[in-house]
Amino acid sequence: MKKLLLVAAATLSVLGASAQQELKGGAKGAPSIHNDNSVTFTIKAPEARQVRLHLDYTSDTTMTRLDDGTWTFTTAPLEPELYRYNFIVDGVKVNDMNNVYSIRDVSTVMNMFIIDGDKQPCLYSVTNVAHGTVSQVWYDSPTLGTKRRMSVYTPAGYEEGHTRYPVLYLLHGSGGDETAWLEHGRAAQIADNLIASGQAAPMIIVMPNGNVDENAAPGAAETGLVNPTFAHQKWMEGTFETSFSDIVNYVDSHFRTLKSKRNRAIAGLSMGGYHSLYISANNPSDYAYVGLFSAAVTPKQGVQSPVYDNLAEKLKVQFQQRPRLYWIGIGEDDFLYKDNAQFTRMLDKNRMKYTYVETKGGHEWRNWRIYLSQFLPLLFK
Amino acid sequence: MKKLLLVAAATLSVLGASAQQELKGGAKGAPSIHNDNSVTFTIKAPEARQVRLHLDYTSDTTMTRLDDGTWTFTTAPLEPELYRYNFIVDGVKVNDMNNVYSIRDVSTVMNMFIIDGDKQPCLYSVTNVAHGTVSQVWYDSPTLGTKRRMSVYTPAGYEEGHTRYPVLYLLHGSGGDETAWLEHGRAAQIADNLIASGQAAPMIIVMPNGNVDENAAPGAAETGLVNPTFAHQKWMEGTFETSFSDIVNYVDSHFRTLKSKRNRAIAGLSMGGYHSLYISANNPSDYAYVGLFSAAVTPKQGVQSPVYDNLAEKLKVQFQQRPRLYWIGIGEDDFLYKDNAQFTRMLDKNRMKYTYVETKGGHEWRNWRIYLSQFLPLLFK
C-alpha cells in the first residue's frame, strides 16, 4: 500500500510539473504563455555571444544559452495586460520571427502578446461575443481641401436594423494615427467585450487621423511606404481643431448617428486629450462627455490660434451647460502630471465638476487602454 | 571658355552621381529606393561575422561590411513590383527594424517595399485617387453555425449615393485568410487605381475566409494570438462550397448589390481557384464571370462530397448558360501547370469557351496580383 501511495505521489508531482509547462488554452504561440502566466521566450542563435530580452514593464534580461544554440528565458507570472518585446542579439535589436503579432509605434515595430486573466479573458482579447465592424473610410475635409482616412467602429447589430447610435470621437496622441487606438489601444476588442456584457452602451467609435499634414497612416497614403516620423509640420497649432467639424459632418451624414449633444462624446490621449479639451471647449453645445487621458493641456509655446484663446471663459460657458461627464485620467509618473494638476486646480477653483482618476505608471498605452475601459461604461447612460 | 566648360562638365557629372544616389520621390524609407530603381539595403550589426540578404525573385547575397559595422548591399535596377525581403545575420533570420512595412504569409512575416514604374506608380501603390472603404465585417453563417469575419471593399462613392454595385467574390489560397488579398494581393489599391482610371467598373469586392475551421484570421478570432498554421482540419472537402450561399445572402442583404448573375463574379487563387471552380459549377445560374488563378482543379484524394461529383456534367450545364468570362491564369513554372493543362484540354474537347493567360513564374503572389489586375477590367462591362 505504501508503494502504491508513493507511485501516486510521484505521478501527482509529474502532473504538477507538466501542468506548469502546459500552455494556456492549449495555444501554441510564440512566446509560450504557461498556465501560471509565466512566459517563456526563445530564439535560436547558435553563433550569438549574448542575447538579451527587452520586455515592456520589466528590465532587460540576459537570456540563457542551451546546448543546441537556443536562447531562452522564463519570466515570473505576469499580470493580465498587453506586452511588447523584442530581442537584442549581439547588440542588434531584432523581432521574434516565431511570433507574427506586432504593433507599430511611430517607426518602431515590436512583437506583442496578451496575458489573459485567470478567470476571464483580458478585455483586450478577442472573445466569443458579437463583434462590431471596423472600417477604414475616406472622408472629405473641405476645410483642409483633401480626402482623409479614418477608422470607424460600428457596434454588432449596426448592419441589421435602423437604430441610430451615439458616437464617441476617440483621438490618438502625437505618435499615432487613425490606426493607433485599434492596434495599440485594442479599442474594438474593449468595445466588443464591454458592449456584449452590457457594461457599455452600443456606440459608434470614430478614430480620425489627428495629423493634418498627412491624409492617412504611413503606408496608406499616396506618400508611399515612407518611414513614419514623429515630427509633423502642423502640430497642435489649431488646424485639426478648426477642421474637426468636417469629421462630425461626415459621420452624421454617412452613419446612423444620434446627433444631439447628449449622444456625442470626445476623448483622446496626450495630443488627443489636448484636441478633446479644446474642441469641446470651443463647441460647448456639442459634447456631453469629454475624456482627457494623460492630456496635454497647455498650448505649445508661441502658438497663435483663436482655438487656444480665452480657455477659462470658454470652459465657464462649457461647464455652465453641465457636461454629463468631464473625465480626467493621469498616471502618477506621467511627465504631464504637473500640467494636469494645475488644470484640475483651475477647474476646482471655478467649481467645475469633473471625475479624476489617478493611476500608477506614466505616459503609456497600458494606462490609455485602462482609461478607455473605465470611460466607455460611463457614456450614454 | 574652355575652363568654364570643364567646370560645367564636372558639375554635370557630380549632379549625375548625386541624382543616382537620390531617393525616389524624396521618400526616406528603408530600404532606400534610388531613382534608377536600384535598392540599397543596410543593417547595423558590428559584431556579426556574416550578413546575407534574402530578397524575393533573386538569389541570396552576402552583404558588405562598412567600417562602422553597417552591412550594405545595392541591387541592380529592379522591375516595378512588390518585393519582400529579410536579413540573415550569422545564420539567424531577422527582419529590417528600420522598415515598418511587412506582410505575413501563414507564420512568416517579411519586410516589403514597392518599386513604382518609371512614368507612373505601380498599380499596387496608394495613389492620389478616390479610395474605396475597406471593412472587416462579421457575418452570420447558419450553415456553419457561427459568426465569421470577411473583408469587404466598397468602391469610392458607395457611401454617397443609392447606386447598386456588382460584386466580385475574391477567394484566397490555402495559406491565406480574409486579409490575404488585401495585404499580399493589394486588392484595394489595384481596385482603387483601375476604377479611378476608368479601366475597371466600380464594384464591391468580398474577401471571405475560406478556412471553415477558423472564424477569422489568426489574432482576430477568439482562439487568441496563436501561431498561424497552414494545416486546417477541414480543407477542400466541400464545406466551404456548401456554406458559400451564407456569404452571398449576407452580402446581398447588407450591401447595395446588383443581385443578377451578370453582376456577380467569383475568382480565387490556388485553393480559392478550386473554390471558384466548384462553387460556380454547382451554381451555374449565379456567376457570369469566373476567374481561376493558378487554381487547384482536382479534388484531394479520398475526398467524398457531392460538391465534386460529376464535374464534367456540371460544367456542361454551366457553359450552356454561357458565362460572359471564364478566365484561367497559370505560370509556366507552377506545380499546378499540368493539372491546368489537363483541365483546359477537357474544356477544349467539350468546346467550352474560356480565356487562357500563361505567364512566367510559378505559384506566387506576383502572378496573382498580375492576374487580378488583368481580370478586373474584364468584369461587368
Side-chain angles (χ1 to χ4, degrees), chain A residues 28 47 49 93 97-98 100-101 126 131 133-136 138 159-160 218-222 225-227 254, chain B residues 28 47 49 93 97-98 101 107 126 131 133-136 138 159-160 218-222 225-227 254:
Chain A
K28 286 186 185 173
E47 297 189 46
R49 276 151 285 189
K93 201 167 66 172
M97 300 294 277
N98 293 317
V100 300
Y101 304 105
V126 177
H131 303 294
T133 296
V134 174
S135 302
Q136 311 286 347
W138 288 79
E159 284 87 357
E160 306 305 328
E222 65 268 23
L225 302 177
V226 296
N227 210 17
H254 289 78
Chain B
K28 286 186 184 173
E47 298 188 47
R49 277 151 286 188
K93 202 168 65 172
M97 299 295 276
N98 294 317
Y101 303 105
S107 61
V126 177
H131 303 294
T133 295
V134 174
S135 303
Q136 309 286 347
W138 289 79
E159 285 87 357
E160 306 304 329
E222 65 268 22
L225 303 178
V226 295
N227 210 17
H254 291 78

Side-chain angles (χ1 to χ4, degrees), chain A residues 130-167:
Chain A
H131 303 294
T133 296
V134 174
S135 302
Q136 311 286 347
V137 179
W138 288 79
Y139 70 95
D140 192 30
S141 177
T143 309
L144 297 172
T146 183
K147 297 246 181 196
R148 307 188 72 234
R149 201 173 81 141
M150 61 183 169
S151 302
V152 180
Y153 168 91
T154 46
Y158 178 89
E159 284 87 357
E160 306 305 328
H162 300 283
T163 311
R164 292 185 167 273
Y165 293 88
V167 184

Side-chain angles (χ1 to χ4, degrees), chain B residues 333-359:
Chain B
D333 301 327
D334 197 306
F335 75 94
L336 292 172
Y337 184 90
K338 219 170 163 182
D339 280 8
N340 274 260
Q342 272 176 5
F343 183 65
T344 50
R345 266 198 302 277
M346 190 264 277
L347 295 179
D348 289 336
K349 211 176 116 188
N350 291 288
R351 294 186 197 163
M352 296 166 176
K353 278 195 188 163
Y354 60 94
T355 302
Y356 179 73
V357 172
E358 189 172 308
T359 59

Side-chain angles (χ1 to χ4, degrees), chain B residues 101-287:
Chain B
Y101 303 105
S102 61
I103 318 185
R104 179 179 65 82
D105 193 16
V106 193
S107 61
T108 303
V109 176
M110 289 178 73
N111 288 112
M112 63 164 275
F113 62 94
I114 292 173
I115 297 286
D116 278 330
D118 284 331
K119 288 183 186 137
Q120 60 183 27
C122 172
L123 273 182
Y124 316 150
S125 288
V126 177
T127 61
N128 188 16
V129 298
H131 303 294
T133 295
V134 174
S135 303
Q136 309 286 347
V137 179
W138 289 79
Y139 70 96
D140 193 29
S141 177
T143 310
L144 298 173
T146 184
K147 298 246 181 197
R148 308 188 72 233
R149 200 171 83 142
M150 61 184 168
S151 302
V152 180
Y153 168 91
T154 46
Y158 178 89
E159 285 87 357
E160 306 304 329
H162 300 282
T163 310
R164 291 184 169 273
Y165 293 87
V167 183
L168 164 63
Y169 293 89
L170 187 58
L171 312 181
H172 62 79
S174 58
D177 53 54
E178 74 274 21
T179 67
W181 269 110
L182 288 172
E183 294 181 10
H184 254 109
R186 305 290 287 178
Q189 288 75 36
I190 294 170
D192 275 356
N193 289 321
L194 289 176
I195 292 170
S197 66
Q199 291 173 83
M203 68 183 85
I204 297 169
I205 303 178
V206 175
M207 292 155 277
N209 184 317
N211 307 309
V212 289
D213 57 1
E214 69 183 15
N215 293 338
E222 65 268 22
T223 38
L225 303 178
V226 295
N227 210 17
T229 166
F230 195 84
H232 290 281
Q233 291 189 315
K234 291 190 170 184
W235 186 65
M236 292 170 68
E237 39 61 82
T239 309
F240 181 70
E241 293 89 332
T242 49
S243 65
F244 195 75
S245 57
D246 292 348
I247 295 170
V248 178
N249 289 339
Y250 184 91
V251 169
D252 276 342
S253 58
H254 291 78
F255 291 87
R256 295 199 316 275
T257 62
L258 291 164
K259 297 180 179 65
S260 60
K261 174 180 178 177
R262 67 170 290 170
N263 288 296
R264 213 182 276 134
I266 189 165
L269 73 92
S270 193
M271 178 181 83
Y274 177 85
H275 287 151
S276 302
L277 163 58
Y278 288 98
I279 289 168
S280 65
N282 280 286
N283 301 278
S285 308
D286 285 1
Y287 303 93

